[in-house]
Every structure is written in C-alpha cells, then in structure tokens.
Amino acid sequence: MKRVQCIAPDNLPELRQNASPEVVRALLRLAEKSTAPLYLVGGTVRDWLLGHRSGDIDVAAPCSALALAKMLREELGGGAIVDLSGPDDEAVRVVWRGEQVDFATFRDKTTSIEEDLRRRDFTINAMAVPLSALAAGGQTPQVLDPTGGLSDLRDGRIQSCPGAFLADPVRMLRGYRLSAVLGFSLTPATRAEVRKQAFRITGVAAERSGYELRLIFS
C-alpha cells in the first residue's frame, strides 16, 4: 500500500491555501458568533492533511445548514445560496466569487460530530477539525478521527465506513474514484463489501454513476 506523508494537524497555513483570505476570515468570524459548534469535515480535512488544495470547503454542524449559509453570506457581503438538500439531510452551498463553502446538518439527525463522521463513506473522509480552535488562535487544532482515518490516510488505504454502501451505493464507485485520484488502494474488506453490494448500483441514477465514471476515466 502507498505510504503517504501527512502534514502536521497544526499547519494552519495549509487551510488558508484552500480559500481566499476573505472566505477564511468570514468562516472564523462565523465560528466565533455561532452558538453551535462548527466543524471542517470530509475532503477538506483529508486534502488539508495531504497538503493538497481542496475544490471547496465542507462544514458540518448540529444546526440548520441554511441558517449558517445565510450568516456566511452576510459576513461576505454577498454570494449565492444553493440548496443541495436530500430527502433526509440538509445541505446548502454558498458560492462567492467562484469559491464554494458547503454547510451540512449532522447526518441522520445525529447529535454529535463523532456519530456524523461514522455515517460517512470512507474513513479518510470521516475526520473533522473544530473551527472554534482555528478561530481562537494559538490552539493546536484537534483532528477528530473516530474511524481511524488518519492511519488509513498515512498508509494509503481506502476503507469504507460501516454500512456506507447500503446508505448510498454510488459510494462504491467513489471508492475507485478516490483510488484513481489519490493513488490509494481499497482494502480487502472494502473490495469484498463492494462485491457483496455491487447489485445495488443498478438503483443509482445514471447521472450520479456517470459523474463518478467520468472522474475515474479522466
């Protein structure tokens, strides 16, 4: 398996490279004003630890994603709000000068960030960093990692979270997309689970499957 050199979790300048100074400052002000805890999550944390530039910033919180999106737009003095919510989850995107910040309410009505992370697709996408630690300054941001994602990231492993493919079968394709993009290897257990659940991919909308396949082939 590929061995990866992860950057130190306290390397805040890497976060600042993922967005313009205006967006970073607006997010930190939002974290200070919010009565609910806000967390950087998913691909944002993964790419930060790898030293890669993320395409957008993902934030999770135990409160209304729409309310947070409106607050960020106010902090930025403009921007468009796009509703990405599904039937069971609330997710809202703020687009500002070509940059994107995605807010999501904790999944499946969970009440803690650890529960939310365990419901994600792969362990390397199931890590979080409290925005409050970054806003306070002087603190070393703690990487919350309930599924062992940091270890898998260091070793170049793609390990699915429990029940990931049952919750969303397109995640099986996403695993191979991550493998192609990052050069990581799916674990034997994940491959076995893909074989077991492969029949479920027929229930995924063609547009979603096509999107993942295009990224794999590119």
Side-chain angles (χ1 to χ4, degrees):
M1 293 183 180
K2 181 178 180 178
R3 186 77 178 176
V4 178
Q5 181 63 48
C6 293
I7 67 171
D10 60 351
N11 197 346
L12 180 56
E14 292 293 339
L15 169 64
R16 298 188 186 277
Q17 290 176 13
N18 282 324
S20 66
E22 294 89 347
V23 169
V24 173
R25 286 195 295 266
L27 277 171
L28 296 182
R29 289 196 302 270
L30 179 60
E32 291 179 321
K33 293 179 179 179
S34 175
T35 57
L38 309 182
Y39 300 91
L40 293 175
V41 294
T44 300
V45 175
R46 180 198 69 220
D47 290 343
W48 175 29
L49 290 169
L50 289 173
H52 297 171
R53 182 178 177 85
S54 295
D56 52 26
I57 294 177
D58 297 319
V59 179
C63 61
S64 168
L66 179 59
L68 291 173
K70 290 179 176 178
M71 290 174 65
L72 179 64
R73 183 173 62 179
E74 183 177 339
E75 291 291 336
L76 291 169
I81 291 181
V82 183
D83 190 356
L84 305 175
S85 301
D88 302 314
D89 297 299
E90 184 185 14
V92 182
R93 173 172 293 166
V94 177
V95 183
W96 182 81
R97 298 182 183 179
E99 297 188 62
Q100 297 180 174
V101 179
D102 289 350
F103 292 97
T105 303
F106 284 172
R107 296 163 186 240
D108 301 330
K109 297 182 174 62
T110 55
T111 57
S112 72
I113 184 60
E114 289 80 10
E115 290 178 88
D116 174 81
L117 294 174
R118 290 189 180 96
R119 284 165 171 77
R120 293 180 177 265
D121 51 6
F122 300 97
T123 61
I124 60 172
N125 291 336
M127 294 179 284
V129 173
L131 259 176
S132 60
L134 303 181
Q139 296 186 34
T140 299
Q142 177 188 7
V143 177
L144 305 177
D145 178 23
T147 66
L150 188 56
S151 176
D152 288 337
L153 194 68
R154 286 179 174 140
D155 290 336
R157 293 190 297 258
I158 297 176
Q159 172 64 51
S160 58
C161 293
F165 303 149
L166 287 172
D168 187 356
V170 82
R171 289 170 168 176
M172 291 184 280
L173 288 175
R174 191 177 302 154
Y176 286 96
R177 187 243 292 181
L178 287 171
S179 177
V181 171
L182 300 176
F184 288 10
S185 299
L186 274 71
T187 64
T190 300
R191 290 179 181 273
E193 188 64 15
V194 169
R195 286 193 294 270
K196 180 180 177 181
Q197 305 295 342
F199 71 96
R200 298 183 186 277
I201 202 67
T202 58
V204 174
E207 294 81 5
R208 297 186 70 208
S209 296
Y211 173 78
E212 297 292 344
L213 289 169
R214 283 193 297 274
L215 290 176
I216 290 170
F217 289 127
S218 68

